[in-house]
Amino acid sequence: MDEDIIEFGLYVPPHPHPLLSPEANDGYGRLRAAYDECRKRIEESDADLIIVYSTTWPSIIGHQFQANPNSEWIHVDDDFHYLGSMPYSFTMDAEFAASCVEKAESRGLQARTVNYDAFPIDTGSITALSLLNPDNRLPATIVSSNMYANRSETIVLGKAIRDALKEGGRKAVVVVVSSLSNRMFTEPIDPSEDRIHSQKDDDWNRKILEFFKDGRLEDLSQLSREIHGQIRVQKVVAYKPAWWLAATMGQHNNYSGEILAYEALNGSGGAVIQLTPATGSVGDKEFDEDDVEYYKGDREVLNKGMLE
Amino acid sequence: MPKGEIVLGALAPHPPHVVYAENPSQNEPISEGGWETLRWGYNRLARKLEKLDYDAIVVFTPHWQTYVGTHFLGLPRFKSKSVDPIFPNIFRYNYDMEVDVDLSEAMCEKAAEAGLITRMMRNPDFRVDYGTITSCHMLNPKWDKPVITISSNRNTHYYSAEVMIEQALALGKACRDAIEESGKRVVLVSSHSLSHRHFVTESPLPEDMSREHIYNHSQYVWDMALIKLFREGKMKEAIDIMPEYTEQTIAETEGGGIIWMMGAMGMPDYPAEIYGYQSVIGTGNCIAAWVPEPDAREIVL
């Protein structure tokens, strides 16, 4: 069972507001309080590692794992630069990152570690790690989100990370950094008047939160394509966080789910959610997408020419 | 004060590979070269710019992505290290860049008057994007002209290619108005590739040119169709097909750069100067320039 390698999973929003301006809106404050509660729970857990999958760190050359033992810089968000700077100093587990790369490659994925001075850690990862692990009590690694990856590649990525956890005898808290609905307001708003961009987005978010609360992570994974079509701005090919989280946490529905906060962040849906491996099972989906163990890459259909 | 003017508009792709291949002192990684067709084209355009009389470079970049309006750099100097989050192995560049804040503010103000959402960026810790740095380094390696960077608002994804085009054209016109009122002579830079499908693997030696080619033939054919319109001076037609072109080639034109530039330049009906076309990790990249002054135009390639 997953309790051997996964202490619990978290789903947190990427926007910097809970870190930089929690006082600007009661909702931002509640998200911050939820982050703080998660920080305490991590401190009280037996986890020895934090693994972050960030939707705001895109990659092209396969999957990148942050491996700089002391990753330091001052980051400024592209949109919300006026909220202030985000200095960071994170302790990365270079050995575990290297192990993830090895396991990913053994499952057919392209992967590499990144260990460079001044590497630009993304807004979402900085917000999450600054609030969840402020004193670097635990080492971490951050996993990029490949912009071309779809379901099979993302599922295999999660399995490769499980391989690395098992081999190393590690126990992790896994963190997905992602919005629910991700449509923001495109005009400046008064933070005190922030709200979810549309009723439709809010309705979908609340339905997703029901699944999370019931611990139905694998069901959510199976619904990813539908979620992408309904409430995600089509910036990338797919909504991948549920695939990654489900694959990394074991691909089932046996979790205790808790919604610690759900609030608007400049119109997007920001939630802090905890999933803890448990016994018993809920869920009502008959999974019709094949499980994938090994990533085979492009099928080269363009090179197969005309049918004879 | 004489009326300001745009003296040249350049389509200047920014794959960091071209800076890596040049081995400038500012960039940490060392290469054995590569992508010469693009680099030699850039070198020739840079020589032309050296002979032009101009005051500032205005760059529209898709790697400063903003969702709440269009943002403009608003401090006189930015000095830091730029590490490409996608290709950190080849681009770790120490930059020191001056900004023409007066002109930046004027463009921001004009754009706001035109009904666009705008904001000045005044955080001193802000890191300038690698698109700006790559294009500017290749066009002006001496860095002896002030730069203004304009962010790319993500209209295409949030609304549609048509909305993006309408807003990019309006932004371009607003920038032209500001330039004309400023009395300055300005070079515009639209910093992006054409077709933009990457390979997701990299050869052990990134500059191994035996491995470099366009991602697929469809991308190439579309790129050539667009460049043909550039050569023929049919920029209105080029903008008209931009939604379909962008969709078919997942082109970096989705950010609006060349549309903004054409809007600012009044939709040129004269041939562009073509300096080169080459793939970089599968993407299609063309260096081209539009020169309003007929006597300064050349047939390059």
Side-chain angles (χ1 to χ4, degrees):
Chain A
M1 277 300 289
D2 299 322
E3 53 266 33
D4 295 337
I5 56 172
I6 304 290
E7 189 73 7
F8 54 81
L10 297 173
Y11 192 110
V12 299
H15 297 79
H17 305 65
L19 176 67
L20 296 177
S21 61
E23 73 293 339
N25 171 300
D26 289 345
Y28 304 166
R30 285 189 285 272
L31 285 166
R32 174 61 173 265
Y35 263 116
D36 292 344
E37 177 60 28
C38 291
R39 172 182 55 77
K40 284 183 207 159
R41 293 181 185 182
I42 293 172
E43 288 171 358
E44 291 162 2
S45 77
D46 292 330
D48 57 33
L49 176 70
I50 297 175
I51 306 169
V52 177
Y53 174 86
S54 175
T55 55
T56 52
W57 179 18
S59 61
I60 288 173
I61 306 299
H63 306 275
Q64 301 190 141
F65 292 81
Q66 188 56 239
N68 185 346
N70 185 20
S71 186
E72 282 188 314
W73 204 254
I74 299 175
H75 174 71
V76 176
D77 187 72
D78 278 356
D79 247 311
F80 302 107
H81 42 78
Y82 54 90
L83 293 180
S85 304
M86 305 168 74
Y88 60 86
S89 176
F90 297 138
T91 301
M92 295 292 157
D93 191 327
E95 192 177 335
F96 181 74
S99 177
C100 287
V101 168
E102 181 194 332
K103 297 303 179 190
E105 289 175 341
S106 71
R107 284 181 178 268
L109 297 171
Q110 174 87 17
R112 65 183 178 192
T113 56
V114 294
N115 179 358
Y116 300 104
D117 174 52
F119 184 91
I121 305 278
D122 59 287
T123 293
S125 296
I126 294 169
T127 300
L129 284 175
S130 297
L131 293 175
L132 295 174
N133 191 39
D135 302 321
N136 288 307
R137 199 180 67 84
L138 297 181
T141 191
I142 306 168
V143 189
S144 69
S145 176
N146 183 287
M147 60 184 290
Y148 295 115
N150 213 299
R151 179 177 177 273
S152 62
E153 195 169 349
T154 308
I155 296 282
V156 172
L157 176 65
K159 291 183 176 183
I161 291 168
R162 287 180 66 81
D163 294 343
L165 285 168
K166 286 175 186 168
E167 184 174 275
R170 306 296 295 270
K171 196 157 200 171
V173 168
V174 292
V175 180
V176 153
V177 181
S178 174
S179 302
L180 296 175
S181 63
N182 67 347
R183 183 169 287 277
M184 294 196 293
F185 291 109
T186 54
E187 297 181 6
I189 60 165
D190 182 334
S192 67
E193 296 175 1
D194 204 348
R195 60 181 173 80
I196 301 294
H197 189 276
S198 69
Q199 187 64 48
K200 180 193 175 195
D201 282 359
D202 192 35
D203 289 346
W204 267 94
N205 289 341
R206 290 181 188 280
K207 177 55 71 178
I208 293 166
L209 291 173
E210 280 180 31
F211 276 68
F212 271 121
K213 189 167 185 299
D214 290 340
R216 296 168 62 182
L217 180 56
E218 183 57 21
D219 284 354
L220 276 172
S221 173
Q222 296 290 327
L223 287 169
S224 277
R225 297 187 199 283
E226 182 68 21
I227 292 168
H228 187 64
Q230 293 290 345
I231 55 165
R232 301 287 291 183
V233 174
Q234 308 287 297
K235 295 184 287 189
V236 292
V237 297
Y239 170 67
K240 291 169 262 198
W243 287 331
W244 183 86
L245 190 63
T248 309
M249 291 189 68
Q251 293 180 291
H252 54 75
N253 284 316
N254 300 325
Y255 307 96
S256 295
E258 183 180 359
I259 314 303
L260 288 94
Y262 165 59
E263 303 289 346
L265 282 165
N266 212 76
S268 70
V272 176
I273 302 161
Q274 180 174 340
L275 287 171
T276 307
T279 55
S281 179
V282 292
D284 59 5
K285 298 282 171 277
E286 188 63 46
F287 304 149
D288 62 355
E289 292 203 71
D290 196 13
D291 197 9
V292 197
E293 295 295 334
Y294 186 89
Y295 183 63
K296 295 175 181 170
D298 291 344
R299 292 166 57 197
E300 305 295 345
V301 291
L302 295 176
N303 297 330
K304 288 181 179 168
M306 300 292 287
L307 292 172
E308 295 180 4
Chain B
M1 182 173 68
K3 194 164 105 173
E5 60 184 311
I6 297 162
V7 298
L8 183 144
L11 175 61
H14 58 245
H17 305 66
V18 290
V19 168
Y20 165 67
E22 291 275 296
N23 287 317
S25 60
Q26 298 100 320
N27 199 33
E28 290 176 357
I30 303 296
S31 77
E32 295 178 4
W35 303 279
E36 278 73 14
T37 304
L38 274 183
R39 290 196 291 120
W40 293 344
Y42 255 128
N43 297 158
R44 178 159 181 188
L45 180 53
R47 290 196 294 273
K48 180 184 180 98
L49 285 171
E50 269 196 343
K51 293 175 187 162
L52 279 181
D53 174 24
Y54 68 100
D55 302 303
I57 299 173
V58 182
V59 185
F60 184 105
T61 176
H63 285 287
W64 179 11
Q65 301 189 353
T66 52
Y67 295 89
V68 190
T70 299
H71 300 211
F72 299 76
L73 286 186
L75 290 171
R77 187 181 183 200
F78 289 90
K79 182 180 180 185
S80 187
K81 183 197 272 190
S82 172
V83 178
D84 183 347
I86 309 285
F87 301 105
N89 51 321
I90 62 170
F91 192 83
R92 304 190 298 278
Y93 187 100
N94 294 284
Y95 64 90
D96 187 352
M97 184 178 112
E98 287 188 18
V99 175
D100 185 336
V101 178
D102 290 341
L103 183 57
S104 188
E105 287 176 338
M107 290 192 295
C108 182
E109 191 175 319
K110 286 288 182 189
E113 287 172 10
L116 299 169
I117 306 298
T118 61
R119 186 184 284 275
M120 294 298 294
M121 202 307 297
R122 301 192 197 277
N123 187 321
D125 296 323
F126 186 80
R127 269 203 278 196
V128 176
D129 70 286
Y130 73 87
T132 295
I133 293 166
T134 296
S135 294
C136 285
H137 176 89
M138 296 305 290
L139 292 170
N140 179 31
K142 293 180 182 170
W143 289 92
D144 57 358
K145 302 285 184 183
V147 174
I148 295 161
T149 296
I150 304 175
S151 78
S152 162
N153 184 268
R154 311 314 285 169
N155 285 308
T156 303
H157 302 299
Y158 261 61
Y159 300 106
S160 67
E162 289 75 15
V163 170
M164 178 274 287
I165 288 172
E166 189 177 336
Q167 295 212 5
L169 290 173
L171 179 65
K173 183 178 180 310
C175 290
R176 183 184 67 203
D177 292 346
I179 290 165
E180 287 179 350
E181 284 187 17
S182 74
K184 291 176 178 169
R185 294 168 59 83
V186 171
V187 169
L188 301 186
V189 175
S190 172
S191 172
H192 57 80
S193 302
L194 295 181
S195 64
H196 205 229
R197 182 60 165 92
H198 304 78
F199 292 112
V200 294
T201 58
E202 189 176 60
S203 58
L205 189 69
E207 61 268 37
D208 179 352
M209 289 295 100
S210 71
R211 309 279 285 273
E212 184 62 79
H213 60 87
I214 194 76
Y215 188 83
N216 64 40
H217 187 62
S218 171
Q219 311 281 77
Y220 166 78
V221 170
W222 269 104
D223 285 349
M224 288 304 118
L226 198 63
I227 291 170
K228 183 169 184 286
L229 294 174
F230 294 174
R231 285 187 186 282
E232 294 171 349
K234 295 180 177 174
M235 290 316 297
K236 182 175 183 311
E237 289 85 343
I239 302 305
D240 285 345
I241 67 165
M242 204 58 78
E244 187 175 3
Y245 167 77
T246 302
E247 182 179 348
Q248 292 294 329
T249 65
I250 54 172
E252 214 170 19
T253 48
E254 50 89 32
I258 195 166
I259 300 154
W260 159 80
M261 191 164 76
M262 293 301 109
M265 299 183 78
M267 208 60 75
D269 57 1
Y270 49 82
E273 298 174 351
I274 304 298
Y275 287 84
Y277 173 85
Q278 191 173 21
S279 69
V280 178
I281 200 161
T283 65
N285 298 275
C286 174
I287 302 167
W290 287 260
V291 183
E293 173 54 48
D295 291 344
R297 282 180 212 148
E298 305 171 71
I299 296 174
V300 180
L301 291 174

